[in-house]
Amino acid sequence: MRELILYSTLFGHNLELSQLIAGCCPQMTRQALTEKSAASLINYDRLIICPCTYGDGYLTPLEEQFFHQVQGMPLPHLSYLVAGAGDLDYGHAAFARAVLIFDRTLHDQGARRLGAPIRVDYEETASGARQAVAQLKRVRKEPEHG
Ligand SMILES: Cc1cc2nc3c(=O)[nH]c(=O)nc-3n(C[C@H](O)[C@H](O)[C@H](O)COP(=O)(O)O)c2cc1C
């Protein structure tokens, strides 16, 4: 199983979130989203993505680039979980919305959700990592099916 954690960050909270998850999942490769083209997702079976949200519920320009690449790719071989830190002060609709955007897009491309998208406040990255790791542990215990 080839497993990848991608993060996108300006202030470091989603970097931290990805590090905390990777700390519990040493078999996973961790990289910045900016270092990867979406085309490389073909080489992985499992993806954890930690995106950041800016500009009132939108993606950063680099996230947008990646997002548009993903939109053109069928990903039926991939399972995924999206977990990201935002800021609750931006209100319910905009809060960590990048998480929902990536979750929906990966699902629309045929990828398999490993769990509900995880959105946490930037002060709660440890809680987000715990939730993500618990979800990964749950799916690892499930029997493989086609
Ligand atoms: C200009 C600007 C716009 C932002 N817009 C949102 C937003 O719409 N929703 C949200 O949840 N957080 C928003 N944030 C907060 C960031 O998502 C939050 O600081 C998060 O920790 C950023 O991730 P990072 O630390 O990995 O860069 C915004 C921050 C800035 C500076």
Side-chain angles (χ1 to χ4, degrees), residues 12-31:
H13 297 95
N14 285 287
L15 165 70
E16 182 181 75
L17 178 59
S18 73
Q19 285 171 331
L20 291 169
I21 297 170
C24 298
C25 305
Q27 76 285 5
M28 298 189 91
T29 305
R30 193 178 62 85
Q31 277 184 306

Side-chain angles (χ1 to χ4, degrees), residues 46-63:
R46 187 169 282 172
L47 171 70
I48 312 296
I49 182 162
C50 303
C52 58
T53 306
Y54 285 97
D56 221 8
Y58 288 95
L59 307 179
T60 65
L62 286 169
E63 285 175 327

Side-chain angles (χ1 to χ4, degrees), residues 8-14 52-57 85-87 90 94-96 122:
S8 164
T9 196
L10 292 179
F11 293 122
H13 297 95
N14 285 287
C52 58
T53 306
Y54 285 97
D56 221 8
D87 184 340
Y90 282 84
F95 172 54
Y122 68 96

Side-chain angles (χ1 to χ4, degrees), residues 29 37 45 56 68 71 79 97 107-108 135 141 144:
T29 305
S37 81
D45 307 297
D56 221 8
H68 288 303
Q71 277 187 316
S79 57
R97 188 163 167 262
H107 184 258
D108 287 350
Q135 188 55 36
K141 282 189 193 145
E144 289 290 327

Side-chain angles (χ1 to χ4, degrees), residues 33-143:
L33 185 130
T34 49
E35 294 167 22
K36 280 284 190 205
S37 81
S40 64
L41 294 182
I42 205 75
N43 299 318
Y44 295 92
D45 307 297
R46 187 169 282 172
L47 171 70
I48 312 296
I49 182 162
C50 303
C52 58
T53 306
Y54 285 97
D56 221 8
Y58 288 95
L59 307 179
T60 65
L62 286 169
E63 285 175 327
E64 283 238 10
Q65 233 174 46
F66 189 88
F67 167 80
H68 288 303
Q69 289 169 2
V70 168
Q71 277 187 316
M73 292 179 64
L75 295 168
H77 69 286
L78 191 71
S79 57
Y80 73 95
L81 182 65
V82 189
D87 184 340
L88 276 167
D89 287 346
Y90 282 84
H92 180 72
F95 172 54
R97 188 163 167 262
V99 170
L100 304 181
I101 294 173
F102 275 106
D103 177 71
R104 165 58 76 89
T105 304
L106 288 162
H107 184 258
D108 287 350
Q109 298 313 121
R112 187 169 71 90
R113 227 180 234 126
L114 293 172
I118 297 166
R119 293 186 289 163
V120 289
D121 188 70
Y122 68 96
E123 291 182 322
E124 303 287 340
T125 49
S127 158
R130 271 196 303 275
Q131 293 177 54
V133 170
Q135 188 55 36
L136 289 171
K137 282 191 177 148
R138 268 195 291 276
V139 293
R140 282 190 214 288
K141 282 189 193 145
E142 285 172 8

